[in-house]
Amino acid sequence: MTELLNTLYVQTPGASLHLDGDAVRIALPDGGGPRRTLPLLRLESIVLLGNISVSAPLLSRCADDGRAVVWMSRGGRFRCRLDGPTRGNVLLRHAQHLAHADPVVRLPIARACVAGKIQNCRQVVLKGARDAGDTKDALRGIAADLEDSLAAAGAAEDLDVLMGVEGAAARSYFEALAMMIRKDSGLSFPGRIKRPPTDGVNALLSFLYGLVRSSVHGACEQVGLDPYVGFLHGIRPGKPALALDLMEEFRPAIADRLALTLINRRQVSADDFEQLEGGAVQLTEDGRKTVLTAWQQHRQKERPHPVLGRRVAHGLVPFVQSRLMARTLREELPGYLPWTV
Amino acid sequence: MELLVTYDVATTTPEGAQRLRQVAKLCEGYGMRVQKSVFEVVCSDADWVRLNNAFQRIIDDEDDSIRVYRMDRGSFKSVTILGRARRLPHDDALVL
């Protein structure tokens, strides 16, 4: 398994990145200060938040090395990524397209993605219930509902039913999420609001989902899967359906858990958000810095992987899961097994 | 592996100054500068072979000296620092 390398996040407005030998040189807008360089060797990808310029030589070098460059909006919405030529096996991609076209193969994979998500949601809620005070019973009730949804997802006969089960589970899960945010944190969760998020908690969730999505997308590419052909999510131009399928199981266990920790430990507070014209809310520059630091530390944390039977860092789980998906499509595994906590 | 690279390149001649720039640039591609001619490098065994080879090509054996110390894992994290020195995030987030 590859070593977990670093990701460079650049968010300072007006900064620019240049290639300097085998290093990336960072020019900050104030111009002063010591020369800042980082060895490209230690960077797995470069993530640019907002308008950051990257020199053409650096871009071509990253493309050659297969190092992804990802552009995100300052709010953490994924904009685009630049990657080298599509790697991997054409037979694998062909198998993926055939699986997508065949409902008999497609439905079980979609079911597994939804089941993984609901199971991880349930674990997040159960953990919340252990720590909760007066909302303990309500949370336990929602966990029981999610258990029913899990059974319903396993029995779903077609994709529409499955989508319905997922939607219902997500609604009760987000009710639970609202209860798990401590009252003294100064933030509250009115339910999931996106495009654009209009409160702090939703802004934080959207930002974290953006980060998860870009890492899952990269993992699909690395394994040689086509990120745009999914099983649960339908295909549409420009929609990375497979990345969206695979990230379902990571949303609760990685993004939501981290968001709850940050809020409840007051590492992120109401001051870390700013309101834009039109009502959209996004993280401030300091807030983003806190979240990205926590995210990178979270990626290093290891957890036992139920299928591999050994400990795997959070940051590498998307790679493991993409590989399991590839093996399922090649019919080396009987079915896709989601990552559950 | 974690390496501490220190170098001394004679800069009395223009060629010496050029060698110094080359060594510095090479080190920037492998690690992070902690002092004027001291770098902390975290790399794989293969990278170390490449780095060592590149050093040998650049330096003048008569005038220059390079010392590379192989450190225990975690040494860069536990380093004692005084004054302006800062710990460098070799494995942590790089947020700018």
Side-chain angles (χ1 to χ4, degrees), chain A residues 6 9-12 20 22-23 26 35-37 39 41-43 296 300, chain B residues 25-26 28-32 42-43 47 73 89-96:
Chain A
N6 233 330
Y9 298 93
V10 187
Q11 59 154 356
T12 315
D20 197 335
D22 292 321
I26 299 132
R35 208 174 120 84
R36 309 182 75 148
T37 62
L41 203 65
R42 298 289 300 159
L43 295 179
Q296 193 72 18
Q300 311 269 352
Chain B
K25 209 162 190 177
L26 180 64
E28 278 178 353
Y30 283 83
M32 292 202 238
V42 180
C43 67
D47 292 328
R73 197 170 255 276
H90 286 285
D91 294 306
D92 299 336
L94 297 163
V95 185
L96 288 168

PDB file of all heavy atoms in Angstrom, chain A residues 6 9-12 20 22-23 26 35-37 39 41-43 296 300, chain B residues 25-26 28-32 42-43 47 73 89-96:
ATOM      1  N   ASN A   6       1.465  13.922   1.775  1.00  0.00           N
ATOM      2  CA  ASN A   6       0.830  15.151   2.189  1.00  0.00           C
ATOM      3  C   ASN A   6       0.030  15.795   1.066  1.00  0.00           C
ATOM      4  O   ASN A   6       0.311  15.577  -0.095  1.00  0.00           O
ATOM      5  CB  ASN A   6       1.935  16.115   2.602  1.00  0.00           C
ATOM      6  CG  ASN A   6       1.703  16.657   3.964  1.00  0.00           C
ATOM      7  OD1 ASN A   6       0.550  16.780   4.370  1.00  0.00           O
ATOM      8  ND2 ASN A   6       2.753  16.975   4.653  1.00  0.00           N
ATOM      9  N   TYR A   9      -2.639  22.515   0.723  1.00  0.00           N
ATOM     10  CA  TYR A   9      -3.836  23.327   0.545  1.00  0.00           C
ATOM     11  C   TYR A   9      -3.409  24.781   0.484  1.00  0.00           C
ATOM     12  O   TYR A   9      -2.711  25.256   1.374  1.00  0.00           O
ATOM     13  CB  TYR A   9      -4.785  23.167   1.725  1.00  0.00           C
ATOM     14  CG  TYR A   9      -5.305  21.771   1.918  1.00  0.00           C
ATOM     15  CD1 TYR A   9      -4.662  20.890   2.766  1.00  0.00           C
ATOM     16  CD2 TYR A   9      -6.443  21.334   1.253  1.00  0.00           C
ATOM     17  CE1 TYR A   9      -5.139  19.607   2.949  1.00  0.00           C
ATOM     18  CE2 TYR A   9      -6.924  20.050   1.427  1.00  0.00           C
ATOM     19  CZ  TYR A   9      -6.260  19.193   2.278  1.00  0.00           C
ATOM     20  OH  TYR A   9      -6.736  17.933   2.451  1.00  0.00           O
ATOM     21  N   VAL A  10      -3.812  25.487  -0.526  1.00  0.00           N
ATOM     22  CA  VAL A  10      -3.475  26.902  -0.597  1.00  0.00           C
ATOM     23  C   VAL A  10      -4.771  27.701  -0.624  1.00  0.00           C
ATOM     24  O   VAL A  10      -5.638  27.455  -1.462  1.00  0.00           O
ATOM     25  CB  VAL A  10      -2.642  27.232  -1.849  1.00  0.00           C
ATOM     26  CG1 VAL A  10      -2.170  28.663  -1.799  1.00  0.00           C
ATOM     27  CG2 VAL A  10      -1.449  26.305  -1.935  1.00  0.00           C
ATOM     28  N   GLN A  11      -4.902  28.612   0.321  1.00  0.00           N
ATOM     29  CA  GLN A  11      -6.149  29.387   0.379  1.00  0.00           C
ATOM     30  C   GLN A  11      -5.905  30.883   0.471  1.00  0.00           C
ATOM     31  O   GLN A  11      -6.857  31.644   0.428  1.00  0.00           O
ATOM     32  CB  GLN A  11      -6.986  28.908   1.555  1.00  0.00           C
ATOM     33  CG  GLN A  11      -6.279  29.054   2.882  1.00  0.00           C
ATOM     34  CD  GLN A  11      -7.258  29.193   4.037  1.00  0.00           C
ATOM     35  OE1 GLN A  11      -8.452  29.247   3.835  1.00  0.00           O
ATOM     36  NE2 GLN A  11      -6.737  29.265   5.237  1.00  0.00           N
ATOM     37  N   THR A  12      -4.642  31.319   0.636  1.00  0.00           N
ATOM     38  CA  THR A  12      -4.378  32.757   0.751  1.00  0.00           C
ATOM     39  C   THR A  12      -4.709  33.442  -0.573  1.00  0.00           C
ATOM     40  O   THR A  12      -4.131  33.084  -1.601  1.00  0.00           O
ATOM     41  CB  THR A  12      -2.899  32.994   1.085  1.00  0.00           C
ATOM     42  OG1 THR A  12      -2.528  32.095   2.111  1.00  0.00           O
ATOM     43  CG2 THR A  12      -2.660  34.413   1.522  1.00  0.00           C
ATOM     44  N   ASP A  20      10.099  25.086  -9.140  1.00  0.00           N
ATOM     45  CA  ASP A  20      11.479  25.525  -8.947  1.00  0.00           C
ATOM     46  C   ASP A  20      12.309  24.266  -8.751  1.00  0.00           C
ATOM     47  O   ASP A  20      12.348  23.712  -7.651  1.00  0.00           O
ATOM     48  CB  ASP A  20      11.530  26.442  -7.716  1.00  0.00           C
ATOM     49  CG  ASP A  20      12.805  27.255  -7.681  1.00  0.00           C
ATOM     50  OD1 ASP A  20      13.798  26.807  -8.280  1.00  0.00           O
ATOM     51  OD2 ASP A  20      12.806  28.335  -7.061  1.00  0.00           O
ATOM     52  N   ASP A  22      12.850  20.653  -8.331  1.00  0.00           N
ATOM     53  CA  ASP A  22      11.909  19.610  -7.943  1.00  0.00           C
ATOM     54  C   ASP A  22      11.024  20.072  -6.800  1.00  0.00           C
ATOM     55  O   ASP A  22      10.467  19.265  -6.068  1.00  0.00           O
ATOM     56  CB  ASP A  22      12.672  18.349  -7.526  1.00  0.00           C
ATOM     57  CG  ASP A  22      13.369  17.714  -8.701  1.00  0.00           C
ATOM     58  OD1 ASP A  22      12.768  17.701  -9.786  1.00  0.00           O
ATOM     59  OD2 ASP A  22      14.513  17.258  -8.535  1.00  0.00           O
ATOM     60  N   ALA A  23      10.936  21.363  -6.644  1.00  0.00           N
ATOM     61  CA  ALA A  23      10.161  21.890  -5.516  1.00  0.00           C
ATOM     62  C   ALA A  23       9.103  22.853  -6.029  1.00  0.00           C
ATOM     63  O   ALA A  23       9.186  23.348  -7.150  1.00  0.00           O
ATOM     64  CB  ALA A  23      11.089  22.615  -4.547  1.00  0.00           C
ATOM     65  N   ILE A  26       6.248  28.944  -3.283  1.00  0.00           N
ATOM     66  CA  ILE A  26       4.988  29.629  -3.014  1.00  0.00           C
ATOM     67  C   ILE A  26       5.259  31.110  -2.860  1.00  0.00           C
ATOM     68  O   ILE A  26       6.039  31.518  -2.010  1.00  0.00           O
ATOM     69  CB  ILE A  26       4.333  29.080  -1.735  1.00  0.00           C
ATOM     70  CG1 ILE A  26       4.036  27.593  -1.927  1.00  0.00           C
ATOM     71  CG2 ILE A  26       3.056  29.811  -1.399  1.00  0.00           C
ATOM     72  CD1 ILE A  26       4.477  26.749  -0.800  1.00  0.00           C
ATOM     73  N   ARG A  35      11.940  32.874   1.458  1.00  0.00           N
ATOM     74  CA  ARG A  35      11.572  32.042   0.322  1.00  0.00           C
ATOM     75  C   ARG A  35      10.914  30.773   0.831  1.00  0.00           C
ATOM     76  O   ARG A  35      11.453  30.102   1.703  1.00  0.00           O
ATOM     77  CB  ARG A  35      12.888  31.680  -0.340  1.00  0.00           C
ATOM     78  CG  ARG A  35      12.889  31.416  -1.769  1.00  0.00           C
ATOM     79  CD  ARG A  35      14.364  31.243  -2.116  1.00  0.00           C
ATOM     80  NE  ARG A  35      14.560  29.906  -2.657  1.00  0.00           N
ATOM     81  CZ  ARG A  35      14.335  29.632  -3.927  1.00  0.00           C
ATOM     82  NH1 ARG A  35      13.955  30.576  -4.753  1.00  0.00           N
ATOM     83  NH2 ARG A  35      14.527  28.425  -4.379  1.00  0.00           N
ATOM     84  N   ARG A  36       9.735  30.448   0.318  1.00  0.00           N
ATOM     85  CA  ARG A  36       9.065  29.244   0.810  1.00  0.00           C
ATOM     86  C   ARG A  36       9.002  28.213  -0.304  1.00  0.00           C
ATOM     87  O   ARG A  36       8.421  28.469  -1.353  1.00  0.00           O
ATOM     88  CB  ARG A  36       7.642  29.559   1.249  1.00  0.00           C
ATOM     89  CG  ARG A  36       7.563  30.712   2.194  1.00  0.00           C
ATOM     90  CD  ARG A  36       6.152  30.914   2.611  1.00  0.00           C
ATOM     91  NE  ARG A  36       5.763  29.881   3.558  1.00  0.00           N
ATOM     92  CZ  ARG A  36       4.886  30.084   4.525  1.00  0.00           C
ATOM     93  NH1 ARG A  36       4.313  31.238   4.655  1.00  0.00           N
ATOM     94  NH2 ARG A  36       4.562  29.116   5.340  1.00  0.00           N
ATOM     95  N   THR A  37       9.637  27.083  -0.051  1.00  0.00           N
ATOM     96  CA  THR A  37       9.538  26.003  -1.032  1.00  0.00           C
ATOM     97  C   THR A  37       9.147  24.725  -0.317  1.00  0.00           C
ATOM     98  O   THR A  37       9.404  24.556   0.867  1.00  0.00           O
ATOM     99  CB  THR A  37      10.873  25.743  -1.740  1.00  0.00           C
ATOM    100  OG1 THR A  37      11.820  25.338  -0.759  1.00  0.00           O
ATOM    101  CG2 THR A  37      11.382  26.948  -2.478  1.00  0.00           C
ATOM    102  N   PRO A  39       9.106  20.353  -1.124  1.00  0.00           N
ATOM    103  CA  PRO A  39       9.494  19.326  -2.085  1.00  0.00           C
ATOM    104  C   PRO A  39       8.267  18.674  -2.712  1.00  0.00           C
ATOM    105  O   PRO A  39       7.377  18.234  -1.995  1.00  0.00           O
ATOM    106  CB  PRO A  39      10.274  18.322  -1.234  1.00  0.00           C
ATOM    107  CG  PRO A  39       9.880  18.590   0.172  1.00  0.00           C
ATOM    108  CD  PRO A  39       9.447  20.008   0.256  1.00  0.00           C
ATOM    109  N   LEU A  41       8.138  15.897  -4.091  1.00  0.00           N
ATOM    110  CA  LEU A  41       8.231  14.492  -3.720  1.00  0.00           C
ATOM    111  C   LEU A  41       7.261  14.080  -2.627  1.00  0.00           C
ATOM    112  O   LEU A  41       6.755  12.975  -2.609  1.00  0.00           O
ATOM    113  CB  LEU A  41       9.662  14.293  -3.203  1.00  0.00           C
ATOM    114  CG  LEU A  41      10.294  12.947  -3.201  1.00  0.00           C
ATOM    115  CD1 LEU A  41      10.471  12.483  -4.617  1.00  0.00           C
ATOM    116  CD2 LEU A  41      11.658  13.061  -2.517  1.00  0.00           C
ATOM    117  N   ARG A  42       7.028  14.993  -1.690  1.00  0.00           N
ATOM    118  CA  ARG A  42       6.213  14.654  -0.523  1.00  0.00           C
ATOM    119  C   ARG A  42       4.754  15.028  -0.735  1.00  0.00           C
ATOM    120  O   ARG A  42       3.958  14.908   0.177  1.00  0.00           O
ATOM    121  CB  ARG A  42       6.738  15.386   0.720  1.00  0.00           C
ATOM    122  CG  ARG A  42       8.132  15.023   1.104  1.00  0.00           C
ATOM    123  CD  ARG A  42       8.241  13.642   1.667  1.00  0.00           C
ATOM    124  NE  ARG A  42       7.437  13.477   2.861  1.00  0.00           N
ATOM    125  CZ  ARG A  42       7.038  12.296   3.311  1.00  0.00           C
ATOM    126  NH1 ARG A  42       7.359  11.203   2.683  1.00  0.00           N
ATOM    127  NH2 ARG A  42       6.310  12.219   4.402  1.00  0.00           N
ATOM    128  N   LEU A  43       4.416  15.548  -1.898  1.00  0.00           N
ATOM    129  CA  LEU A  43       3.047  15.992  -2.122  1.00  0.00           C
ATOM    130  C   LEU A  43       2.310  15.015  -3.005  1.00  0.00           C
ATOM    131  O   LEU A  43       2.784  14.651  -4.073  1.00  0.00           O
ATOM    132  CB  LEU A  43       3.025  17.376  -2.784  1.00  0.00           C
ATOM    133  CG  LEU A  43       3.577  18.528  -1.957  1.00  0.00           C
ATOM    134  CD1 LEU A  43       3.505  19.800  -2.766  1.00  0.00           C
ATOM    135  CD2 LEU A  43       2.814  18.672  -0.671  1.00  0.00           C
ATOM    136  N   GLN A 296      -6.582  16.983   7.973  1.00  0.00           N
ATOM    137  CA  GLN A 296      -5.342  16.287   7.657  1.00  0.00           C
ATOM    138  C   GLN A 296      -4.950  15.353   8.804  1.00  0.00           C
ATOM    139  O   GLN A 296      -4.502  14.235   8.563  1.00  0.00           O
ATOM    140  CB  GLN A 296      -4.238  17.316   7.383  1.00  0.00           C
ATOM    141  CG  GLN A 296      -2.986  16.736   6.748  1.00  0.00           C
ATOM    142  CD  GLN A 296      -3.206  16.342   5.301  1.00  0.00           C
ATOM    143  OE1 GLN A 296      -4.154  16.773   4.674  1.00  0.00           O
ATOM    144  NE2 GLN A 296      -2.350  15.496   4.777  1.00  0.00           N
ATOM    145  N   GLN A 300      -4.826  10.863   8.977  1.00  0.00           N
ATOM    146  CA  GLN A 300      -3.718  10.015   9.417  1.00  0.00           C
ATOM    147  C   GLN A 300      -4.185   8.939  10.402  1.00  0.00           C
ATOM    148  O   GLN A 300      -3.483   7.970  10.626  1.00  0.00           O
ATOM    149  CB  GLN A 300      -2.640  10.852  10.129  1.00  0.00           C
ATOM    150  CG  GLN A 300      -2.219  12.099   9.390  1.00  0.00           C
ATOM    151  CD  GLN A 300      -1.042  11.846   8.483  1.00  0.00           C
ATOM    152  OE1 GLN A 300      -0.463  10.784   8.523  1.00  0.00           O
ATOM    153  NE2 GLN A 300      -0.697  12.810   7.647  1.00  0.00           N
TER     154      GLN A 300
ATOM    155  N   LYS B  25      19.233  23.912  -4.425  1.00  0.00           N
ATOM    156  CA  LYS B  25      18.041  23.630  -5.221  1.00  0.00           C
ATOM    157  C   LYS B  25      17.688  22.140  -5.163  1.00  0.00           C
ATOM    158  O   LYS B  25      16.520  21.763  -5.055  1.00  0.00           O
ATOM    159  CB  LYS B  25      18.288  24.043  -6.671  1.00  0.00           C
ATOM    160  CG  LYS B  25      17.026  24.447  -7.371  1.00  0.00           C
ATOM    161  CD  LYS B  25      17.335  25.248  -8.602  1.00  0.00           C
ATOM    162  CE  LYS B  25      16.049  25.830  -9.127  1.00  0.00           C
ATOM    163  NZ  LYS B  25      16.219  26.664 -10.270  1.00  0.00           N
ATOM    164  N   LEU B  26      18.731  21.325  -5.199  1.00  0.00           N
ATOM    165  CA  LEU B  26      18.521  19.884  -5.110  1.00  0.00           C
ATOM    166  C   LEU B  26      17.857  19.539  -3.779  1.00  0.00           C
ATOM    167  O   LEU B  26      16.883  18.779  -3.729  1.00  0.00           O
ATOM    168  CB  LEU B  26      19.875  19.169  -5.245  1.00  0.00           C
ATOM    169  CG  LEU B  26      19.858  17.652  -5.166  1.00  0.00           C
ATOM    170  CD1 LEU B  26      19.083  17.070  -6.326  1.00  0.00           C
ATOM    171  CD2 LEU B  26      21.280  17.127  -5.170  1.00  0.00           C
ATOM    172  N   GLU B  28      16.080  21.450  -1.903  1.00  0.00           N
ATOM    173  CA  GLU B  28      14.704  21.951  -1.858  1.00  0.00           C
ATOM    174  C   GLU B  28      13.724  20.969  -2.487  1.00  0.00           C
ATOM    175  O   GLU B  28      12.556  20.945  -2.146  1.00  0.00           O
ATOM    176  CB  GLU B  28      14.604  23.298  -2.590  1.00  0.00           C
ATOM    177  CG  GLU B  28      15.029  24.463  -1.732  1.00  0.00           C
ATOM    178  CD  GLU B  28      14.968  25.779  -2.486  1.00  0.00           C
ATOM    179  OE1 GLU B  28      14.730  25.751  -3.710  1.00  0.00           O
ATOM    180  OE2 GLU B  28      15.162  26.818  -1.846  1.00  0.00           O
ATOM    181  N   GLY B  29      14.241  20.180  -3.431  1.00  0.00           N
ATOM    182  CA  GLY B  29      13.376  19.185  -4.072  1.00  0.00           C
ATOM    183  C   GLY B  29      13.126  17.967  -3.202  1.00  0.00           C
ATOM    184  O   GLY B  29      12.285  17.144  -3.524  1.00  0.00           O
ATOM    185  N   TYR B  30      13.893  17.823  -2.117  1.00  0.00           N
ATOM    186  CA  TYR B  30      13.753  16.625  -1.290  1.00  0.00           C
ATOM    187  C   TYR B  30      13.265  16.916   0.113  1.00  0.00           C
ATOM    188  O   TYR B  30      12.703  16.051   0.763  1.00  0.00           O
ATOM    189  CB  TYR B  30      15.090  15.866  -1.218  1.00  0.00           C
ATOM    190  CG  TYR B  30      15.380  15.086  -2.471  1.00  0.00           C
ATOM    191  CD1 TYR B  30      15.953  15.690  -3.578  1.00  0.00           C
ATOM    192  CD2 TYR B  30      15.045  13.743  -2.557  1.00  0.00           C
ATOM    193  CE1 TYR B  30      16.197  14.986  -4.735  1.00  0.00           C
ATOM    194  CE2 TYR B  30      15.280  13.019  -3.696  1.00  0.00           C
ATOM    195  CZ  TYR B  30      15.861  13.646  -4.791  1.00  0.00           C
ATOM    196  OH  TYR B  30      16.086  12.932  -5.937  1.00  0.00           O
ATOM    197  N   GLY B  31      13.542  18.116   0.607  1.00  0.00           N
ATOM    198  CA  GLY B  31      13.181  18.373   1.997  1.00  0.00           C
ATOM    199  C   GLY B  31      12.931  19.822   2.270  1.00  0.00           C
ATOM    200  O   GLY B  31      12.799  20.634   1.357  1.00  0.00           O
ATOM    201  N   MET B  32      12.891  20.154   3.539  1.00  0.00           N
ATOM    202  CA  MET B  32      12.588  21.530   3.906  1.00  0.00           C
ATOM    203  C   MET B  32      13.781  22.163   4.602  1.00  0.00           C
ATOM    204  O   MET B  32      14.435  21.544   5.441  1.00  0.00           O
ATOM    205  CB  MET B  32      11.367  21.554   4.791  1.00  0.00           C
ATOM    206  CG  MET B  32      10.131  21.149   4.014  1.00  0.00           C
ATOM    207  SD  MET B  32       8.661  21.744   4.806  1.00  0.00           S
ATOM    208  CE  MET B  32       7.819  20.208   5.057  1.00  0.00           C
ATOM    209  N   VAL B  42      12.522  14.010   4.469  1.00  0.00           N
ATOM    210  CA  VAL B  42      11.807  12.759   4.724  1.00  0.00           C
ATOM    211  C   VAL B  42      11.628  12.103   3.366  1.00  0.00           C
ATOM    212  O   VAL B  42      11.045  12.703   2.466  1.00  0.00           O
ATOM    213  CB  VAL B  42      10.427  13.007   5.369  1.00  0.00           C
ATOM    214  CG1 VAL B  42       9.713  11.688   5.618  1.00  0.00           C
ATOM    215  CG2 VAL B  42      10.584  13.763   6.664  1.00  0.00           C
ATOM    216  N   CYS B  43      12.182  10.917   3.157  1.00  0.00           N
ATOM    217  CA  CYS B  43      12.085  10.316   1.826  1.00  0.00           C
ATOM    218  C   CYS B  43      12.183   8.797   1.910  1.00  0.00           C
ATOM    219  O   CYS B  43      12.408   8.227   2.976  1.00  0.00           O
ATOM    220  CB  CYS B  43      13.164  10.879   0.906  1.00  0.00           C
ATOM    221  SG  CYS B  43      14.822  10.404   1.367  1.00  0.00           S
ATOM    222  N   ASP B  47      14.645   7.324  -3.013  1.00  0.00           N
ATOM    223  CA  ASP B  47      14.911   8.760  -3.138  1.00  0.00           C
ATOM    224  C   ASP B  47      16.301   9.090  -2.590  1.00  0.00           C
ATOM    225  O   ASP B  47      17.013   9.927  -3.141  1.00  0.00           O
ATOM    226  CB  ASP B  47      13.860   9.562  -2.366  1.00  0.00           C
ATOM    227  CG  ASP B  47      12.490   9.455  -2.987  1.00  0.00           C
ATOM    228  OD1 ASP B  47      12.420   9.322  -4.220  1.00  0.00           O
ATOM    229  OD2 ASP B  47      11.494   9.481  -2.246  1.00  0.00           O
ATOM    230  N   ARG B  73      13.025   7.587  13.235  1.00  0.00           N
ATOM    231  CA  ARG B  73      11.698   8.070  12.868  1.00  0.00           C
ATOM    232  C   ARG B  73      11.132   8.911  14.019  1.00  0.00           C
ATOM    233  O   ARG B  73      11.213   8.515  15.175  1.00  0.00           O
ATOM    234  CB  ARG B  73      10.802   6.855  12.632  1.00  0.00           C
ATOM    235  CG  ARG B  73       9.556   7.157  11.884  1.00  0.00           C
ATOM    236  CD  ARG B  73       8.896   5.850  11.500  1.00  0.00           C
ATOM    237  NE  ARG B  73       9.084   5.562  10.084  1.00  0.00           N
ATOM    238  CZ  ARG B  73       8.296   6.070   9.144  1.00  0.00           C
ATOM    239  NH1 ARG B  73       7.315   6.860   9.446  1.00  0.00           N
ATOM    240  NH2 ARG B  73       8.504   5.767   7.875  1.00  0.00           N
ATOM    241  N   PRO B  89       6.069  20.965   9.395  1.00  0.00           N
ATOM    242  CA  PRO B  89       5.015  19.952   9.259  1.00  0.00           C
ATOM    243  C   PRO B  89       5.346  18.941   8.165  1.00  0.00           C
ATOM    244  O   PRO B  89       4.798  19.009   7.083  1.00  0.00           O
ATOM    245  CB  PRO B  89       3.785  20.788   8.890  1.00  0.00           C
ATOM    246  CG  PRO B  89       4.348  21.976   8.176  1.00  0.00           C
ATOM    247  CD  PRO B  89       5.729  22.207   8.689  1.00  0.00           C
ATOM    248  N   HIS B  90       6.247  17.992   8.458  1.00  0.00           N
ATOM    249  CA  HIS B  90       6.602  17.023   7.422  1.00  0.00           C
ATOM    250  C   HIS B  90       5.432  16.127   7.052  1.00  0.00           C
ATOM    251  O   HIS B  90       5.252  15.762   5.905  1.00  0.00           O
ATOM    252  CB  HIS B  90       7.771  16.163   7.888  1.00  0.00           C
ATOM    253  CG  HIS B  90       9.071  16.899   7.864  1.00  0.00           C
ATOM    254  ND1 HIS B  90       9.738  17.173   6.700  1.00  0.00           N
ATOM    255  CD2 HIS B  90       9.797  17.461   8.859  1.00  0.00           C
ATOM    256  CE1 HIS B  90      10.844  17.851   6.982  1.00  0.00           C
ATOM    257  NE2 HIS B  90      10.900  18.043   8.281  1.00  0.00           N
ATOM    258  N   ASP B  91       4.631  15.745   8.065  1.00  0.00           N
ATOM    259  CA  ASP B  91       3.530  14.825   7.787  1.00  0.00           C
ATOM    260  C   ASP B  91       2.176  15.434   8.099  1.00  0.00           C
ATOM    261  O   ASP B  91       1.156  14.787   7.934  1.00  0.00           O
ATOM    262  CB  ASP B  91       3.701  13.537   8.600  1.00  0.00           C
ATOM    263  CG  ASP B  91       4.934  12.776   8.153  1.00  0.00           C
ATOM    264  OD1 ASP B  91       5.037  12.503   6.948  1.00  0.00           O
ATOM    265  OD2 ASP B  91       5.796  12.506   8.995  1.00  0.00           O
ATOM    266  N   ASP B  92       2.177  16.661   8.595  1.00  0.00           N
ATOM    267  CA  ASP B  92       0.901  17.263   8.953  1.00  0.00           C
ATOM    268  C   ASP B  92       0.386  18.106   7.797  1.00  0.00           C
ATOM    269  O   ASP B  92       0.975  18.152   6.731  1.00  0.00           O
ATOM    270  CB  ASP B  92       1.062  18.123  10.210  1.00  0.00           C
ATOM    271  CG  ASP B  92       1.524  17.270  11.381  1.00  0.00           C
ATOM    272  OD1 ASP B  92       1.277  16.067  11.326  1.00  0.00           O
ATOM    273  OD2 ASP B  92       2.144  17.815  12.302  1.00  0.00           O
ATOM    274  N   ALA B  93      -0.704  18.778   8.063  1.00  0.00           N
ATOM    275  CA  ALA B  93      -1.331  19.579   7.010  1.00  0.00           C
ATOM    276  C   ALA B  93      -0.405  20.699   6.556  1.00  0.00           C
ATOM    277  O   ALA B  93       0.312  21.293   7.351  1.00  0.00           O
ATOM    278  CB  ALA B  93      -2.615  20.187   7.540  1.00  0.00           C
ATOM    279  N   LEU B  94      -0.396  20.948   5.283  1.00  0.00           N
ATOM    280  CA  LEU B  94       0.296  22.108   4.742  1.00  0.00           C
ATOM    281  C   LEU B  94      -0.803  23.062   4.291  1.00  0.00           C
ATOM    282  O   LEU B  94      -1.365  22.910   3.224  1.00  0.00           O
ATOM    283  CB  LEU B  94       1.162  21.696   3.555  1.00  0.00           C
ATOM    284  CG  LEU B  94       2.289  20.721   3.879  1.00  0.00           C
ATOM    285  CD1 LEU B  94       2.808  20.081   2.623  1.00  0.00           C
ATOM    286  CD2 LEU B  94       3.402  21.459   4.575  1.00  0.00           C
ATOM    287  N   VAL B  95      -1.135  23.990   5.142  1.00  0.00           N
ATOM    288  CA  VAL B  95      -2.208  24.927   4.797  1.00  0.00           C
ATOM    289  C   VAL B  95      -1.606  26.315   4.704  1.00  0.00           C
ATOM    290  O   VAL B  95      -0.976  26.784   5.638  1.00  0.00           O
ATOM    291  CB  VAL B  95      -3.320  24.912   5.864  1.00  0.00           C
ATOM    292  CG1 VAL B  95      -4.469  25.783   5.419  1.00  0.00           C
ATOM    293  CG2 VAL B  95      -3.788  23.511   6.118  1.00  0.00           C
ATOM    294  N   LEU B  96      -1.763  26.931   3.575  1.00  0.00           N
ATOM    295  CA  LEU B  96      -1.208  28.270   3.395  1.00  0.00           C
ATOM    296  C   LEU B  96      -2.327  29.249   3.070  1.00  0.00           C
ATOM    297  O   LEU B  96      -3.199  28.933   2.298  1.00  0.00           O
ATOM    298  CB  LEU B  96      -0.203  28.270   2.253  1.00  0.00           C
ATOM    299  CG  LEU B  96       1.102  27.562   2.581  1.00  0.00           C
ATOM    300  CD1 LEU B  96       1.897  27.360   1.321  1.00  0.00           C
ATOM    301  CD2 LEU B  96       1.905  28.369   3.572  1.00  0.00           C
TER     302      LEU B  96
END
